[in-house]
Amino acid sequence: MGMPPASVWTFFYGSFIHLDVLKKVGVVPKEVEVATLDGFDIRIRPLANLVPSSEHRVYGIVATTT
Protein backbone atom coordinates (compact mmCIF):
# COMPACT_ATOMS: atom_id res chain seq x y z
CA MET A 1 0.00 0.00 0.00
CA GLY A 2 1.50 3.33 -1.13
CA MET A 3 1.42 6.66 0.57
CA PRO A 4 -1.28 9.15 -0.47
CA PRO A 5 -0.06 11.87 -2.85
CA ALA A 6 1.22 15.03 -1.20
CA SER A 7 -0.91 18.16 -1.44
CA VAL A 8 0.62 21.38 -2.75
CA TRP A 9 -0.83 24.88 -3.03
CA THR A 10 -1.34 25.88 -6.67
CA PHE A 11 -2.20 29.33 -8.07
CA PHE A 12 -5.10 29.33 -10.57
CA TYR A 13 -6.16 32.33 -12.66
CA GLY A 14 -8.50 33.11 -15.54
CA SER A 15 -11.20 30.50 -16.16
CA PHE A 16 -9.59 28.14 -13.66
CA ILE A 17 -10.74 30.23 -10.69
CA HIS A 18 -14.17 28.62 -11.18
CA LEU A 19 -14.43 25.37 -9.22
CA ASP A 20 -16.79 23.86 -11.83
CA VAL A 21 -14.12 24.37 -14.51
CA LEU A 22 -11.47 22.75 -12.28
CA LYS A 23 -13.77 19.80 -11.64
CA LYS A 24 -14.17 19.25 -15.40
CA VAL A 25 -10.40 18.74 -15.67
CA GLY A 26 -10.27 16.43 -12.63
CA VAL A 27 -9.12 18.93 -9.99
CA VAL A 28 -11.23 18.97 -6.81
CA PRO A 29 -9.31 20.95 -4.17
CA LYS A 30 -9.92 20.39 -0.47
CA GLU A 31 -8.94 23.97 0.39
CA VAL A 32 -9.35 27.20 -1.63
CA GLU A 33 -8.31 30.78 -0.82
CA VAL A 34 -8.58 34.03 -2.80
CA ALA A 35 -5.11 35.22 -3.84
CA THR A 36 -3.27 37.94 -5.77
CA LEU A 37 0.06 37.84 -7.59
CA ASP A 38 1.86 41.19 -7.82
CA GLY A 39 4.14 41.91 -10.75
CA PHE A 40 2.18 39.99 -13.40
CA ASP A 41 -0.58 40.59 -15.93
CA ILE A 42 -2.79 38.19 -17.89
CA ARG A 43 -2.44 38.12 -21.69
CA ILE A 44 -4.97 36.20 -23.77
CA ARG A 45 -3.53 35.27 -27.20
CA PRO A 46 -5.54 32.95 -27.58
CA LEU A 47 -4.88 31.21 -24.22
CA ALA A 48 -4.48 33.03 -20.91
CA ASN A 49 -0.86 33.33 -19.81
CA LEU A 50 0.88 35.28 -17.06
CA VAL A 51 3.51 37.77 -18.15
CA PRO A 52 5.78 39.92 -15.98
CA SER A 53 4.49 43.47 -15.46
CA SER A 54 5.63 45.90 -12.81
CA GLU A 55 2.33 47.80 -13.17
CA HIS A 56 -0.21 44.99 -12.67
CA ARG A 57 -1.58 42.42 -10.27
CA VAL A 58 -3.33 39.15 -11.15
CA TYR A 59 -6.29 37.96 -9.10
CA GLY A 60 -7.02 34.27 -8.70
CA ILE A 61 -7.17 31.50 -6.16
CA VAL A 62 -4.73 29.18 -4.47
CA ALA A 63 -6.01 25.67 -3.96
CA THR A 64 -4.63 22.39 -2.70
CA THR A 65 -3.87 19.91 -5.48
CA THR A 66 -2.13 16.55 -5.68
Side-chain angles (χ1 to χ4, degrees):
M1 184 158 112
M3 298 202 37
S7 290
V8 294
W9 286 95
T10 306
F11 183 75
F12 293 100
Y13 59 94
S15 296
F16 286 105
I17 66 171
H18 300 285
L19 297 181
D20 290 340
V21 173
L22 287 177
K23 188 175 182 179
K24 287 180 182 179
V25 296
V27 177
V28 181
K30 291 182 181 177
E31 297 179 71
V32 177
E33 298 287 336
V34 173
T36 61
L37 185 59
D38 290 330
F40 286 89
D41 192 14
I42 295 178
R43 298 283 164 82
I44 302 173
R45 294 186 184 150
L47 302 175
N49 289 289
L50 296 183
V51 294
S53 172
S54 61
E55 301 173 7
H56 295 93
R57 171 183 295 153
V58 175
Y59 291 84
I61 61 171
V62 287
T64 54
T65 60
T66 55

Coordinates of all heavy atoms in Angstrom, one line a residue:
M1 N 0.8 -1.2 0.0 CA 0.0 0.0 0.0 C 0.9 1.2 0.0 O 1.7 1.4 0.9 CB -0.9 0.0 1.2 CG -1.9 1.1 1.3 SD -3.3 0.6 2.3 CE -3.0 1.7 3.7
G2 N 0.7 2.1 -1.0 CA 1.5 3.3 -1.1 C 1.0 4.5 -0.3 O -0.1 4.4 0.3
M3 N 1.8 5.5 -0.2 CA 1.4 6.7 0.6 C 0.5 7.5 -0.3 O 0.6 7.5 -1.5 CB 2.7 7.4 1.0 CG 3.6 6.7 1.9 SD 4.7 7.6 2.9 CE 3.8 9.0 3.3
P4 N -0.4 8.2 0.3 CA -1.3 9.2 -0.5 C -0.4 10.3 -1.1 O 0.6 10.6 -0.5 CB -2.3 9.7 0.5 CG -1.6 9.5 1.9 CD -0.7 8.3 1.7
P5 N -0.8 10.8 -2.2 CA -0.1 11.9 -2.8 C 0.0 13.1 -2.0 O -1.0 13.4 -1.3 CB -0.8 12.2 -4.2 CG -2.1 11.4 -4.1 CD -2.0 10.4 -3.0
A6 N 1.1 13.8 -2.0 CA 1.2 15.0 -1.2 C 0.4 16.1 -1.8 O 0.2 16.2 -3.0 CB 2.7 15.4 -1.1
S7 N -0.2 17.0 -1.0 CA -0.9 18.2 -1.4 C 0.0 19.3 -1.5 O 0.9 19.5 -0.7 CB -2.0 18.5 -0.5 OG -3.1 17.6 -0.5
V8 N -0.1 20.1 -2.6 CA 0.6 21.4 -2.8 C -0.4 22.5 -3.1 O -1.4 22.3 -3.7 CB 1.7 21.3 -3.9 CG1 2.8 20.3 -3.5 CG2 1.1 20.9 -5.2
W9 N 0.0 23.7 -2.7 CA -0.8 24.9 -3.0 C -0.5 25.3 -4.4 O 0.7 25.5 -4.8 CB -0.6 26.0 -2.0 CG -1.2 25.7 -0.7 CD1 -0.6 25.2 0.4 CD2 -2.6 26.0 -0.3 NE1 -1.5 25.1 1.4 CE2 -2.7 25.6 1.0 CE3 -3.7 26.5 -1.0 CZ2 -3.9 25.7 1.7 CZ3 -4.9 26.7 -0.3 CH2 -5.0 26.2 1.0
T10 N -1.5 25.5 -5.3 CA -1.3 25.9 -6.7 C -2.1 27.1 -7.0 O -3.3 27.3 -6.5 CB -1.8 24.7 -7.6 OG1 -1.2 23.5 -7.2 CG2 -1.6 25.0 -9.0
F11 N -1.5 28.1 -7.7 CA -2.2 29.3 -8.1 C -3.0 29.1 -9.4 O -2.4 28.7 -10.4 CB -1.2 30.5 -8.3 CG -1.8 31.8 -8.6 CD1 -2.4 32.5 -7.6 CD2 -1.7 32.3 -9.9 CE1 -3.0 33.8 -7.9 CE2 -2.3 33.5 -10.2 CZ -2.9 34.3 -9.2
F12 N -4.3 29.4 -9.4 CA -5.1 29.3 -10.6 C -5.6 30.7 -10.9 O -5.9 31.5 -10.0 CB -6.3 28.4 -10.3 CG -5.9 27.0 -10.1 CD1 -5.8 26.4 -8.9 CD2 -5.6 26.2 -11.3 CE1 -5.5 25.1 -8.7 CE2 -5.3 24.8 -11.1 CZ -5.2 24.3 -9.8
Y13 N -5.7 31.0 -12.2 CA -6.2 32.3 -12.7 C -7.0 32.1 -13.9 O -7.1 31.0 -14.4 CB -5.0 33.2 -13.0 CG -4.0 32.7 -14.0 CD1 -4.2 33.1 -15.4 CD2 -3.1 31.8 -13.7 CE1 -3.4 32.5 -16.3 CE2 -2.2 31.3 -14.7 CZ -2.4 31.6 -16.0 OH -1.6 31.1 -17.0
G14 N -7.7 33.2 -14.3 CA -8.5 33.1 -15.5 C -9.7 32.2 -15.3 O -10.3 32.2 -14.2
S15 N -10.0 31.4 -16.3 CA -11.2 30.5 -16.2 C -11.1 29.5 -15.0 O -12.1 29.0 -14.5 CB -11.4 29.8 -17.5 OG -11.7 30.7 -18.5
F16 N -9.8 29.2 -14.7 CA -9.6 28.1 -13.7 C -9.9 28.6 -12.2 O -9.7 27.8 -11.3 CB -8.2 27.6 -13.8 CG -8.0 26.7 -15.0 CD1 -7.4 27.1 -16.1 CD2 -8.6 25.4 -15.0 CE1 -7.2 26.3 -17.2 CE2 -8.5 24.6 -16.1 CZ -7.8 25.0 -17.2
I17 N -10.3 29.8 -12.0 CA -10.7 30.2 -10.7 C -12.1 29.7 -10.4 O -12.6 29.8 -9.2 CB -10.7 31.8 -10.5 CG1 -11.6 32.5 -11.3 CG2 -9.2 32.3 -10.7 CD1 -11.7 34.0 -10.9
H18 N -12.8 29.2 -11.4 CA -14.2 28.6 -11.2 C -14.1 27.1 -10.8 O -13.5 26.3 -11.6 CB -15.0 28.8 -12.4 CG -15.2 30.2 -12.8 ND1 -16.0 31.1 -12.1 CD2 -14.6 31.0 -13.7 CE1 -16.0 32.3 -12.6 NE2 -15.1 32.3 -13.6
L19 N -14.6 26.8 -9.7 CA -14.4 25.4 -9.2 C -15.1 24.4 -10.2 O -14.6 23.2 -10.3 CB -15.0 25.2 -7.8 CG -14.2 26.0 -6.7 CD1 -14.8 25.8 -5.4 CD2 -12.7 25.7 -6.7
D20 N -16.2 24.8 -10.9 CA -16.8 23.9 -11.8 C -15.9 23.6 -13.0 O -15.8 22.5 -13.5 CB -18.1 24.4 -12.4 CG -19.2 24.5 -11.3 OD1 -19.1 23.7 -10.3 OD2 -20.2 25.2 -11.5
V21 N -15.1 24.6 -13.4 CA -14.1 24.4 -14.5 C -13.0 23.4 -14.0 O -12.6 22.5 -14.7 CB -13.6 25.7 -15.0 CG1 -12.4 25.5 -16.0 CG2 -14.7 26.6 -15.6
L22 N -12.5 23.6 -12.8 CA -11.5 22.8 -12.3 C -12.0 21.3 -12.2 O -11.2 20.4 -12.5 CB -11.0 23.2 -10.9 CG -10.2 24.5 -10.8 CD1 -9.9 24.9 -9.4 CD2 -8.9 24.3 -11.6
K23 N -13.2 21.1 -11.8 CA -13.8 19.8 -11.6 C -13.8 19.1 -13.0 O -13.6 17.9 -13.1 CB -15.2 19.9 -11.0 CG -15.8 18.5 -10.7 CD -17.1 18.7 -10.0 CE -17.6 17.3 -9.6 NZ -18.9 17.5 -8.9
K24 N -14.1 19.8 -14.1 CA -14.2 19.3 -15.4 C -12.8 18.7 -15.9 O -12.8 17.8 -16.7 CB -14.7 20.3 -16.4 CG -16.2 20.6 -16.3 CD -16.6 21.6 -17.3 CE -18.1 21.9 -17.1 NZ -18.6 22.9 -18.1
V25 N -11.7 19.2 -15.3 CA -10.4 18.7 -15.7 C -9.8 17.8 -14.6 O -8.6 17.6 -14.6 CB -9.4 19.9 -16.0 CG1 -9.9 20.6 -17.3 CG2 -9.2 20.8 -14.9
G26 N -10.7 17.4 -13.6 CA -10.3 16.4 -12.6 C -9.6 17.0 -11.4 O -9.0 16.3 -10.7
V27 N -9.7 18.3 -11.2 CA -9.1 18.9 -10.0 C -10.2 19.3 -9.0 O -11.1 20.1 -9.3 CB -8.3 20.2 -10.4 CG1 -7.8 20.9 -9.1 CG2 -7.2 19.8 -11.3
V28 N -10.2 18.7 -7.8 CA -11.2 19.0 -6.8 C -10.5 19.3 -5.5 O -10.1 18.4 -4.7 CB -12.2 17.8 -6.6 CG1 -13.2 18.1 -5.5 CG2 -12.8 17.4 -7.9
P29 N -10.1 20.6 -5.3 CA -9.3 21.0 -4.2 C -10.1 20.8 -2.9 O -11.3 21.0 -2.8 CB -9.0 22.4 -4.4 CG -9.9 22.9 -5.4 CD -10.4 21.7 -6.2
K30 N -9.3 20.5 -1.8 CA -9.9 20.4 -0.5 C -10.0 21.8 0.2 O -10.8 22.0 1.0 CB -9.1 19.4 0.4 CG -9.3 18.0 -0.1 CD -8.5 17.0 0.9 CE -8.7 15.6 0.4 NZ -7.9 14.7 1.1
E31 N -9.0 22.6 -0.2 CA -8.9 24.0 0.4 C -8.8 25.0 -0.7 O -8.0 24.7 -1.7 CB -7.8 24.1 1.4 CG -7.9 23.2 2.6 CD -6.7 23.3 3.5 OE1 -6.6 24.4 4.1 OE2 -5.8 22.4 3.5
V32 N -9.4 26.1 -0.6 CA -9.3 27.2 -1.6 C -9.3 28.5 -0.9 O -10.1 28.8 0.0 CB -10.6 27.2 -2.6 CG1 -10.5 28.3 -3.6 CG2 -10.7 25.8 -3.3
E33 N -8.4 29.4 -1.4 CA -8.3 30.8 -0.8 C -8.2 31.8 -2.0 O -7.6 31.5 -3.0 CB -7.1 30.9 0.1 CG -7.1 30.0 1.3 CD -8.0 30.5 2.4 OE1 -8.4 31.7 2.4 OE2 -8.4 29.6 3.2
V34 N -8.8 33.0 -1.8 CA -8.6 34.0 -2.8 C -7.1 34.5 -2.7 O -6.6 34.6 -1.6 CB -9.6 35.2 -2.5 CG1 -9.3 36.4 -3.4 CG2 -11.0 34.7 -2.7
A35 N -6.5 34.8 -3.8 CA -5.1 35.2 -3.8 C -4.8 36.3 -4.9 O -5.6 36.4 -5.9 CB -4.2 34.0 -4.1
T36 N -3.7 37.0 -4.7 CA -3.3 37.9 -5.8 C -1.8 37.7 -6.0 O -1.1 37.1 -5.2 CB -3.4 39.4 -5.3 OG1 -2.7 39.6 -4.2 CG2 -4.9 39.8 -5.1
L37 N -1.3 38.0 -7.2 CA 0.1 37.8 -7.6 C 0.5 39.2 -8.2 O 0.2 39.5 -9.3 CB 0.2 36.7 -8.6 CG 1.6 36.3 -9.0 CD1 2.4 35.8 -7.8 CD2 1.5 35.2 -10.1
D38 N 1.3 39.9 -7.4 CA 1.9 41.2 -7.8 C 2.9 41.0 -8.9 O 3.7 40.0 -8.8 CB 2.4 42.0 -6.6 CG 1.4 42.5 -5.7 OD1 0.3 42.7 -6.2 OD2 1.7 42.6 -4.5
G39 N 3.1 41.9 -9.8 CA 4.1 41.9 -10.7 C 3.9 41.1 -12.0 O 4.8 40.8 -12.8
F40 N 2.6 40.8 -12.2 CA 2.2 40.0 -13.4 C 0.9 40.5 -14.0 O 0.1 41.2 -13.3 CB 2.0 38.5 -13.1 CG 3.3 37.8 -12.8 CD1 3.9 37.7 -11.6 CD2 4.0 37.2 -13.9 CE1 5.1 37.1 -11.4 CE2 5.2 36.5 -13.7 CZ 5.7 36.5 -12.4
D41 N 0.7 40.3 -15.2 CA -0.6 40.6 -15.9 C -1.0 39.4 -16.7 O -0.2 38.5 -17.0 CB -0.3 41.8 -16.9 CG -1.6 42.4 -17.4 OD1 -2.7 42.1 -16.9 OD2 -1.6 43.1 -18.4
I42 N -2.3 39.3 -17.1 CA -2.8 38.2 -17.9 C -2.9 38.7 -19.3 O -3.4 39.7 -19.6 CB -4.2 37.7 -17.4 CG1 -4.1 37.1 -16.0 CG2 -4.8 36.7 -18.4 CD1 -5.4 36.7 -15.5
R43 N -2.3 37.9 -20.3 CA -2.4 38.1 -21.7 C -3.2 37.0 -22.3 O -2.9 35.8 -22.0 CB -1.1 38.2 -22.4 CG -0.2 39.4 -21.8 CD -0.7 40.7 -22.4 NE -0.2 41.8 -21.7 CZ 1.0 42.4 -21.8 NH1 1.8 41.9 -22.7 NH2 1.3 43.4 -21.1
I44 N -4.2 37.3 -23.1 CA -5.0 36.2 -23.8 C -4.7 36.3 -25.3 O -5.1 37.2 -25.9 CB -6.5 36.4 -23.5 CG1 -6.7 36.3 -21.9 CG2 -7.3 35.3 -24.2 CD1 -8.1 36.6 -21.5
R45 N -3.9 35.3 -25.8 CA -3.5 35.3 -27.2 C -3.3 33.9 -27.7 O -2.1 33.5 -27.9 CB -2.3 36.1 -27.4 CG -2.5 37.5 -27.1 CD -1.2 38.3 -27.4 NE -1.4 39.7 -27.0 CZ -0.5 40.5 -26.6 NH1 0.8 40.1 -26.5 NH2 -0.7 41.7 -26.3
P46 N -4.1 33.0 -28.0 CA -5.5 32.9 -27.6 C -5.8 32.4 -26.2 O -6.8 32.5 -25.6 CB -6.2 32.0 -28.6 CG -5.1 31.0 -28.9 CD -3.8 31.9 -28.8
L47 N -4.7 31.8 -25.6 CA -4.9 31.2 -24.2 C -4.4 32.2 -23.2 O -3.6 33.1 -23.5 CB -4.1 29.9 -24.1 CG -4.5 28.8 -25.1 CD1 -3.5 27.6 -24.9 CD2 -5.9 28.4 -24.9
A48 N -4.9 32.1 -22.0 CA -4.5 33.0 -20.9 C -3.1 32.6 -20.4 O -2.9 31.4 -20.0 CB -5.5 33.0 -19.8
N49 N -2.2 33.6 -20.3 CA -0.9 33.3 -19.8 C -0.5 34.5 -18.9 O -0.9 35.6 -19.1 CB 0.2 33.2 -20.9 CG 0.0 32.0 -21.7 OD1 0.3 30.9 -21.2 ND2 -0.5 32.1 -22.9
L50 N 0.4 34.2 -17.9 CA 0.9 35.3 -17.1 C 2.2 35.8 -17.7 O 3.0 35.0 -18.1 CB 1.2 34.7 -15.7 CG 0.0 34.2 -14.9 CD1 0.4 33.8 -13.5 CD2 -1.1 35.3 -14.8
V51 N 2.3 37.1 -17.7 CA 3.5 37.8 -18.1 C 4.0 38.8 -17.1 O 3.1 39.4 -16.4 CB 3.3 38.5 -19.5 CG1 3.0 37.5 -20.6 CG2 2.2 39.5 -19.4
P52 N 5.3 38.9 -16.9 CA 5.8 39.9 -16.0 C 5.3 41.3 -16.3 O 5.2 41.7 -17.5 CB 7.3 39.8 -16.1 CG 7.5 38.5 -16.7 CD 6.4 38.2 -17.6
S53 N 4.9 42.1 -15.3 CA 4.5 43.5 -15.5 C 4.6 44.2 -14.1 O 3.9 43.8 -13.2 CB 3.0 43.5 -16.0 OG 2.6 44.9 -15.9
S54 N 5.4 45.2 -14.1 CA 5.6 45.9 -12.8 C 4.4 46.8 -12.5 O 4.3 47.3 -11.3 CB 6.9 46.8 -12.9 OG 6.7 47.7 -13.9
E55 N 3.5 46.9 -13.4 CA 2.3 47.8 -13.2 C 1.0 47.1 -12.8 O 0.0 47.7 -12.6 CB 2.1 48.6 -14.4 CG 3.3 49.5 -14.8 CD 3.1 50.1 -16.2 OE1 2.0 50.0 -16.7 OE2 4.0 50.7 -16.7
H56 N 1.0 45.7 -12.8 CA -0.2 45.0 -12.7 C -0.2 44.0 -11.5 O 0.9 43.7 -11.0 CB -0.5 44.3 -14.0 CG -0.8 45.2 -15.1 ND1 0.2 45.6 -16.0 CD2 -1.9 45.9 -15.5 CE1 -0.3 46.5 -16.8 NE2 -1.6 46.6 -16.6
R57 N -1.4 43.5 -11.3 CA -1.6 42.4 -10.3 C -2.6 41.5 -10.8 O -3.6 41.9 -11.4 CB -2.1 43.1 -9.0 CG -2.6 42.0 -7.9 CD -3.1 42.7 -6.7 NE -2.1 43.5 -6.1 CZ -2.3 44.5 -5.3 NH1 -3.5 45.0 -5.1 NH2 -1.3 45.2 -4.7
V58 N -2.4 40.2 -10.7 CA -3.3 39.1 -11.2 C -4.1 38.6 -10.0 O -3.6 38.4 -8.9 CB -2.6 38.0 -11.8 CG1 -3.5 36.9 -12.2 CG2 -1.9 38.5 -13.1
Y59 N -5.4 38.5 -10.1 CA -6.3 38.0 -9.1 C -6.6 36.5 -9.5 O -6.8 36.2 -10.6 CB -7.6 38.8 -9.0 CG -7.3 40.2 -8.4 CD1 -6.9 41.2 -9.3 CD2 -7.5 40.4 -7.1 CE1 -6.6 42.4 -8.8 CE2 -7.2 41.7 -6.6 CZ -6.8 42.7 -7.4 OH -6.5 44.0 -7.0
G60 N -6.7 35.7 -8.5 CA -7.0 34.3 -8.7 C -7.3 33.6 -7.4 O -7.8 34.2 -6.4
I61 N -7.0 32.3 -7.4 CA -7.2 31.5 -6.2 C -5.9 30.6 -6.0 O -5.2 30.3 -6.9 CB -8.4 30.6 -6.2 CG1 -8.4 29.6 -7.4 CG2 -9.7 31.4 -6.2 CD1 -9.5 28.5 -7.4
V62 N -5.7 30.3 -4.7 CA -4.7 29.2 -4.5 C -5.6 28.0 -3.9 O -6.5 28.2 -3.1 CB -3.6 29.6 -3.5 CG1 -2.6 30.5 -4.2 CG2 -4.1 30.2 -2.2
A63 N -5.2 26.8 -4.4 CA -6.0 25.7 -4.0 C -5.1 24.5 -3.8 O -4.0 24.4 -4.4 CB -7.1 25.3 -5.0
T64 N -5.4 23.6 -2.9 CA -4.6 22.4 -2.7 C -4.9 21.4 -3.8 O -6.0 21.2 -4.2 CB -5.0 21.7 -1.4 OG1 -6.4 21.4 -1.3 CG2 -4.5 22.6 -0.2
T65 N -3.8 20.9 -4.4 CA -3.9 19.9 -5.5 C -2.9 18.8 -5.1 O -2.0 18.9 -4.3 CB -3.5 20.5 -6.8 OG1 -2.2 21.0 -6.8 CG2 -4.5 21.6 -7.2
T66 N -3.1 17.7 -5.8 CA -2.1 16.5 -5.7 C -1.4 16.3 -7.0 O -1.9 16.7 -8.0 CB -2.9 15.3 -5.2 OG1 -3.9 15.0 -6.1 CG2 -3.4 15.4 -3.8

